[in-house]
Amino acid sequence: MTLRTSHTGLNVTDLDRSLAFYRDVLGFTLLAEGKEDGRRYAFLGDGGDRPVLTLWQQARGPYDGARAGLHHLAYTVDSVDRVRAYETALRAAGVEFAHDGVVAHREGSASGGIFFHDPDGTRLEISVPHGAEDAPAPHGSAPTCGFF
């Protein structure tokens, strides 16, 4: 038996704000939503009919990278131009970035992307496996996705 990721669930502080971010800025589709007080949630898809991301309005405070648990969510796209298109949309939405523009995953790597935070501070990455050969690496010896 091989385990595969089915979907990722995130606790959020404000479902409306997070739904707007993941749907309107990142392009996820809303599959289902629970609106009952104390039980608000949203199931998001990537164009299919199965959820890939679920948002649960049950957090009382922002993401804390110093606590055990989720480190970051990483998404991949097919071209560095697509990464840059996301960067443009995210900047227009006022998103906080960890690095300026597309960066390599490590020194000399062909893979790389953008690193940023969602409205609750959860760390996110959008990257490509190839095409970032000319991008700088923010850390000489450590993977970029490990420390942001």
Side-chain angles (χ1 to χ4, degrees):
M1 176 179 159
T2 301
L3 292 176
R4 291 185 309 241
T5 302
S6 171
H7 67 273
T8 301
L10 295 179
N11 281 338
V12 299
T13 58
D14 181 333
L15 183 64
D16 294 327
R17 180 180 68 171
S18 292
L19 180 55
F21 175 79
Y22 284 98
R23 181 192 59 215
D24 302 341
V25 180
L26 293 183
F28 287 94
T29 56
L30 178 63
L31 301 176
E33 183 176 7
K35 297 182 179 187
E36 179 184 334
D37 283 344
R39 296 188 180 277
R40 296 204 53 216
Y41 66 88
F43 288 0
L44 302 172
D46 60 1
D49 61 354
R50 71 173 188 86
V52 295
L53 181 66
T54 59
L55 305 175
W56 305 93
Q57 184 173 300
Q58 37 188 1
R60 291 187 182 92
Y63 174 82
D64 183 353
R67 297 184 68 184
L70 178 72
H71 183 274
H72 74 284
L73 290 176
Y75 297 101
T76 188
V77 293
D78 58 0
S79 73
V80 73
D81 289 338
R82 190 73 183 117
V83 173
R84 288 192 176 105
Y86 275 108
E87 178 187 4
T88 298
L90 290 160
R91 287 195 188 283
V95 170
E96 175 189 343
F97 282 78
H99 307 291
D100 189 30
V102 175
V103 294
H105 277 128
R106 63 177 50 228
E107 196 71 40
S109 177
S111 65
I114 54 175
F115 300 83
F116 55 98
H117 301 87
D118 81 355
D120 280 309
T122 301
R123 296 180 288 203
L124 300 170
E125 167 187 353
I126 298 176
S127 65
V128 290
H130 303 285
E133 292 86 350
D134 297 327
H139 309 287
S141 61
T144 302
C145 61
F147 300 95
F148 72 98

